Amino acid sequence: QVQLVESGGGLVQAGGSLRLSCAASGRTFSFYSKGWFRQAPGKEREFVAAISWGGSNTRYADSVKDRFTISRDNAKNVLYLQMNSLKPEDTAVYYCASRRSGEVTVTDASNLYAYWGQGTQVTVSS
């Protein structure tokens, strides 16, 4: 089993930046892609960004492209989300997720991710 723990959330003013981290533990086998999702109160969970196992292929939601950057350190089993130019509408609980071992391709479909973290709150004030 794989356990994921997010960190780095907090309160920031509009236009500011935050970097989220997601540490993996347990039986973390190689060759799986990862992603970030977010959910605001009363809204459905939405895709934010994803990255392939090798790190060369990434995908972003239209709402965050050119502002957010996803990256990973496979040796340390850590996933990152650098968030710049934050807007109040970015306020949400952010979740990291991993696909199963061997599933290396990026995807924005939440049902293709097998492992999820508990979430970290990001609040952007105006």
Side-chain angles (χ1 to χ4, degrees), residues 79-92:
L79 176 72
Y80 300 100
L81 183 67
Q82 179 66 47
M83 305 184 294
N84 298 325
S85 301
L86 284 163
K87 305 175 181 179
E89 50 263 44
D90 294 320
T91 296

Side-chain angles (χ1 to χ4, degrees), residues 4-9 20-23 36 94-97 116-120:
L4 304 175
V5 179
E6 302 95 336
S7 62
L20 305 183
S21 300
C22 175
W36 288 96
Y94 283 71
Y95 300 90
C96 69
W116 295 81
Q118 82 290 342
T120 185

Side-chain angles (χ1 to χ4, degrees), residues 3 7 11 21 27 32 39 41 45-46 50-51 67 80 84 86 88 91 93 100 106 124-125:
Q3 293 80 46
S7 62
L11 176 65
S21 300
R27 301 172 67 178
Y32 51 83
Q39 186 169 23
R45 183 183 301 172
E46 65 176 355
I51 187 169
R67 298 189 298 118
Y80 300 100
N84 298 325
L86 284 163
T91 296
V93 176
R100 298 177 179 86
V106 297
V124 184
S125 65

